[in-house]
Amino acid sequence: MDTKAVALGMPELRPVSPGLGAPRTGGAETGLLDQFGRVATDMRLSLTDKCNLRCTYCMPEAGLEWLKKDKLLTAAEIVRLVGLGVNRLGVRELRLTGGEPLVRADLVQIIAALRKNHPDLPISLTTNGVGLAKKAQALADAGLTRLNVSMDTIHHDAFLQLTRRPFLDQVKAGIEAAAAAGMKPIKINAVLLRGINDTTAAELLQWSLERDYELRFIEQMPLDADHGWTRDGMITAAEIRALIATDFELTPDPRARDGAPAERFEVRRHGSTELLGTVGIIASVTEPFCADCRRTRITAEGKVMSCLFSLTEVDLLELLRAGTSAHDDDAVTARWQDAMWAKPRAHGMGHPGLGDADFVQPDRSMSAIGG
């Protein structure tokens, strides 16, 4: 029994076939199945490793060495890869990530091509919002379904301290432009750091509720390029709930979680029955949801990461560039399936435990993986 998982409230995962690491069996009809019976239907595809912010919990102040253009998936390769995921492997929703995907000059064209090929596929974008105001309408017209915008605070000084860039007004303008373009829901992603923006958590929630945005607080994870994260230094989900409770009453959202990383809560004022909206908390560290993980991640250079904390990457770009025949597609999908079959139980290892003595932080930062 995985006592660590049970202690964290996570259901025990048992392999679906004898022996961990046993070879995958079955064809494309099994989809992106792993050895514990989880099936990935949510595809996270990074378009670039570049970013125009330098968030302290993600990137070093000097930035990173970016991938060269010829190492990145091309627009045609992205369209082909998504097609294989949707048509052959059971992908049911797509999120385009980065780095910062808005820095790709061909982003609108990519989304338009994906929408043409997959009229009913939910397509979302995770962005920091810088530059969004100029592109929001074009993205909506191309077929983008919804947005996740990273914004940790509504205060300029805290934003500058967190991101090392004075772009808060641009981010807010981008969110407003996306709402005006009809994209909905718009989700706001926020990471709380102790002594910087933690005391204004309830204020950020109020700001989001007033504008009908869905706020998601995310526990800080050990995915910073500086490797400065500590388990004791992060703000936990329990602390986040307590910070919100100063102004609001939270009750569990009756809707099924259905594999979503965020646990949702209905928000009301204390003593009131009026529903103001919802808030989500993504507690990857203290309340992991690995047992119901349905995500498969592809990096900007075409590598499968079966888990956000995986130390193993499987290259698909090599096969994509080998040819475009049905035989070549078979090879790509088979390698993708093999990569997902080997998905670890939790947090890149055999048990949940970010910050445990046996946890090894991936070399990549969050910007280089793609959320």
Side-chain angles (χ1 to χ4, degrees), residues 1-8 10-13 20 36 38 284-285 288-291 307 309 343-360:
M1 177 180 292
D2 186 350
T3 55
K4 178 74 174 180
V6 172
L8 288 168
M10 188 179 112
E12 184 181 5
L13 285 175
L20 293 180
F36 298 103
R38 299 168 296 193
S284 301
V285 181
F289 39 87
C290 307
C307 172
F309 301 97
K343 182 172 183 165
R345 186 189 300 265
H347 292 163
M349 50 189 178
H351 63 85
L354 296 179
D356 283 3
D358 56 345
F359 171 72
V360 179

Side-chain angles (χ1 to χ4, degrees), residues 96-236:
L96 302 174
T97 71
E100 174 45 53
L102 287 176
V103 305
R104 273 199 69 140
D106 56 356
L107 175 60
V108 172
Q109 290 75 23
I110 289 171
I111 292 173
L114 292 171
R115 177 57 65 214
K116 180 180 178 181
N117 290 352
H118 311 288
D120 299 321
L121 179 68
I123 303 175
S124 60
L125 183 78
T126 296
T127 173
N128 61 31
V130 178
L132 179 59
K134 295 180 180 179
K135 295 185 178 181
Q137 189 61 58
L139 292 170
D141 293 343
L144 187 65
T145 308
R146 65 174 181 81
L147 280 169
N148 284 50
V149 182
S150 299
M151 190 182 73
D152 305 310
T153 179
I154 54 173
H155 294 283
H156 287 83
D157 54 348
F159 186 90
L160 179 60
Q161 188 174 356
L162 283 163
T163 69
R164 305 183 178 110
R165 296 292 185 272
F167 296 154
L168 178 58
D169 288 338
Q170 290 94 314
V171 175
K172 288 182 177 179
I175 296 171
E176 292 172 2
M183 280 185 270
K184 191 174 181 179
I186 294 175
K187 297 183 179 181
I188 308 297
N189 294 340
V191 176
L192 297 181
L193 296 189
R194 205 175 301 280
I196 300 178
N197 62 336
D198 52 333
T199 59
T200 58
E203 185 179 359
L204 180 59
L205 177 55
Q206 177 66 41
W207 183 91
S208 301
L209 292 169
E210 289 173 351
R211 293 159 179 80
D212 198 28
Y213 306 146
E214 297 186 15
L215 179 61
R216 298 288 185 270
F217 288 107
I218 305 173
E219 284 185 336
Q220 184 192 5
M221 293 178 281
L223 290 170
D224 58 311
D226 292 328
H227 287 215
W229 180 93
T230 64
R231 173 64 177 78
D232 293 336
M234 59 162 283
I235 296 177
T236 68

Side-chain angles (χ1 to χ4, degrees), residues 48-66 98-100 128 161-165 220-221 223-228 361 364-369:
T48 180
D49 60 327
K50 291 181 180 178
C51 188
N52 42 18
L53 297 182
R54 298 291 183 269
C55 297
T56 57
Y57 52 80
C58 181
M59 296 182 66
E61 186 170 4
L64 297 167
E65 184 177 350
W66 309 126
E100 174 45 53
N128 61 31
Q161 188 174 356
L162 283 163
T163 69
R164 305 183 178 110
R165 296 292 185 272
Q220 184 192 5
M221 293 178 281
L223 290 170
D224 58 311
D226 292 328
H227 287 215
Q361 181 172 338
R364 290 179 184 262
S365 68
M366 190 67 178
S367 65
I369 296 171

